[in-house]
Amino acid sequence: MAQCSESADVSSAVNGEPKKERKVAVITGITGQDGSYLAEFLLAKGYKVHGILRRSSSFNTGRIEHLYQNPQTHTEGNMKLHYGDLTDSTCLVKIINEVKPTEIYNLGAQSHVKISFELAEYTANVDGVGTLRLLDAIKTCGLTNSVKFYQASTSELYGKVQEIPQKETTPFYPRSPYGAAKLYAYWIVVNFREAYNMFATNGILFNHESPRRGSNFVTRKISRSVAKIHLGQLESFSLGNLDSKRDWGHAKDYVEAMWLMLQQEEPEDFVIATGEVHSVREFVEKAFVHVGKTIVWEGKDEQEVGRCQETGVAHVKVDPKYFRPTEVLCGFWSDRFLQQTDSWLFFSRLYRSITSLQEQKERVGVRASDFSLSLSLSP
């Protein structure tokens, strides 16, 4: 592997004047939901942001187009993009040596739990070993003592929950290839922190959503489908386990938590969540309320349907193909991070996000603008 030069001494003075503190961040997965919000957040704080993205024959920068200095020409300003991949250690070493970041946020992953059962080996390679490649690149480049590293861990680590509420010391029991890969990533971060005194932290984040969430995730699937039904462009859609429960927050809040973790005096691992859990069934009901429909449930198991009380039309069906081979159990969180961090912000709740019209439009995204339709949800 290529050897890297020593990190520049950023604390040196020029003409007797201290250098301005360098704030340079590398984000893997910058084109995703969390990466795009984090890039916005860091740019607003005066960071220079370097994003790593995979090469694609189709444009995959839609979530960060507005962050270019000139979005029309893709002219870069304080955000610069680099082609790279978590499966390619050489490119990671090259980028880190060139940029010499002060903070690295590893958000890149194959992050769909259901799909991880079909792409188990790929998920392990990217989500698990990819984290090792990134940590090893930091070490190879001699930046162990100057870089702060954030690893996007997940509540899927708990899977078959061993205690309620979950906290940083709760035993892990992942129930998917995604969770298992993230478990390796979690422990390799801990290992590098303890072995090399690296400032490396795991953020165990429960589910967090937004209008930028991928359309094959359940929250966006529901919101987009409800909007299409309201416009008469869709009659029904299918879901898996309606009684699956999750703790849903908003991605904007959670990326701030990521940044706050790297501003602590000492590296630690934290659980981030809202403290509330809601079922997929409940999410469906509240989404339909915003288009003036009341959903009533009929039948059981795979024959269950959600029918509009006003029209009698069955809008929601159950399809076994969306069931996970193993389901995670519902859990709750421990709020140690909020108790210890004075600068913490409020967390968004599902109720507030969906039942408040303005919040619902902005955050949960039951609207049609995301797929080039026009929808008014005004009372």
Side-chain angles (χ1 to χ4, degrees):
M1 185 176 288
Q3 294 297 309
C4 302
S5 60
E6 292 290 330
S7 170
D9 183 0
V10 298
S11 62
S12 63
V14 177
N15 298 325
E17 294 292 331
K19 277 189 176 182
K20 186 177 179 180
E21 179 188 6
R22 290 182 76 242
K23 296 195 293 186
V24 182
V26 165
I27 303 174
T28 69
I30 192 172
T31 59
Q33 170 190 254
D34 292 4
S36 63
Y37 280 124
L38 180 61
E40 283 181 0
F41 178 84
L42 294 178
L43 287 169
K45 285 192 168 293
Y47 281 71
K48 290 188 180 296
V49 173
H50 294 261
I52 298 178
L53 76 161
R54 290 171 297 170
R55 194 269 170 189
S56 174
S57 58
S58 58
F59 287 110
N60 58 357
T61 56
R63 295 183 180 98
I64 57 172
E65 292 282 350
H66 61 292
L67 300 179
Y68 285 109
Q69 187 176 68
N70 186 331
Q72 283 70 42
T73 61
H74 286 196
T75 302
E76 297 174 331
N78 285 332
M79 179 189 73
K80 297 185 182 299
L81 301 181
H82 306 259
Y83 284 119
D85 198 294
L86 287 169
T87 63
D88 185 344
S89 57
T90 302
C91 77
L92 297 177
V93 170
K94 179 181 178 182
I95 293 168
I96 291 172
N97 185 50
E98 175 187 338
V99 174
K100 291 185 171 56
T102 57
E103 297 175 3
I104 296 177
Y105 297 84
N106 185 28
L107 311 184
Q110 191 299 104
S111 59
H112 198 288
V113 177
K114 174 66 167 61
I115 293 174
S116 76
F117 285 94
E118 302 171 26
L119 299 176
E121 182 180 343
Y122 174 76
T123 301
N125 192 16
V126 174
D127 300 12
V129 183
T131 304
L132 171 61
R133 293 186 184 101
L134 200 51
L135 289 165
D136 199 50
I138 295 170
K139 179 174 173 286
T140 300
C141 292
L143 302 178
T144 305
N145 297 321
S146 60
V147 170
K148 293 183 175 182
F149 180 85
Y150 171 82
Q151 167 63 20
S153 283
T154 170
S155 59
E156 293 285 334
L157 293 177
Y158 297 124
K160 189 176 181 180
V161 296
Q162 301 299 292
E163 67 177 352
I164 296 176
Q166 283 98 65
K167 53 185 182 292
E168 289 78 5
T169 57
T170 299
F172 299 133
Y173 198 137
R175 300 265 284 173
S176 67
Y178 169 74
K182 284 289 191 175
L183 181 61
Y184 174 83
Y186 175 92
W187 283 115
I188 201 64
V189 168
V190 173
N191 182 260
F192 267 66
R193 181 170 69 215
E194 295 176 350
Y196 305 111
N197 199 31
M198 184 184 294
F199 194 112
T201 182
N202 287 290
I204 303 174
L205 274 54
F206 279 66
N207 295 60
H208 42 287
E209 316 300 317
S210 77
R212 298 183 190 175
R213 187 62 137 154
S215 58
N216 61 345
F217 287 83
V218 68
T219 50
R220 289 298 289 135
K221 180 177 181 178
I222 293 169
S223 65
R224 288 164 64 93
S225 297
V226 169
K228 288 181 179 181
I229 288 171
H230 181 71
L231 295 174
Q233 299 197 355
L234 185 70
E235 181 174 280
S236 66
F237 61 98
S238 297
L239 297 170
N241 184 2
L242 295 170
D243 294 315
S244 178
K245 293 183 178 181
R246 295 291 184 271
D247 182 320
W248 280 300
H250 192 275
K252 274 190 174 181
D253 295 340
Y254 283 40
V255 300
E256 183 165 355
M258 298 173 190
W259 177 78
L260 284 170
M261 288 181 212
L262 295 193
Q263 312 316 308
Q264 303 304 300
E265 291 296 326
E266 298 293 334
E268 290 187 70
D269 303 323
F270 293 101
V271 177
I272 303 298
T274 71
E276 294 183 4
V277 293
H278 301 275
S279 67
V280 173
R281 183 189 306 275
E282 186 178 357
F283 198 107
V284 169
E285 293 169 353
K286 292 187 178 297
F288 272 104
V289 165
H290 280 279
V291 294
K293 293 180 181 290
T294 303
I295 293 296
V296 293
W297 303 97
E298 301 175 359
K300 292 183 179 180
D301 302 324
E302 297 175 12
Q303 284 70 48
E304 187 171 13
V305 297
R307 196 176 299 278
C308 176
Q309 188 176 57
E310 292 77 15
T311 65
V313 176
H315 290 312
V316 185
K317 300 177 182 179
V318 174
D319 190 331
K321 76 177 183 180
Y322 296 117
F323 291 164
R324 295 182 183 179
T326 51
E327 181 60 85
V328 300
L329 303 180
C330 174
F332 300 88
W333 73 307
S334 168
D335 65 351
R336 182 171 70 87
F337 185 55
L338 272 70
Q339 293 171 351
Q340 291 186 353
T341 310
D342 293 336
S343 59
W344 188 238
L345 70 163
F346 68 89
F347 270 61
S348 57
R349 302 282 201 253
L350 177 68
Y351 278 120
R352 185 176 73 231
S353 294
I354 298 184
T355 58
S356 166
L357 181 62
Q358 192 57 38
E359 285 271 327
Q360 177 269 333
K361 282 185 178 180
E362 177 185 349
R363 295 196 164 198
V364 177
V366 182
R367 61 182 183 179
S369 60
D370 290 335
F371 47 90
S372 303
L373 299 173
S374 175
L375 173 61
S376 172
L377 293 178
S378 301

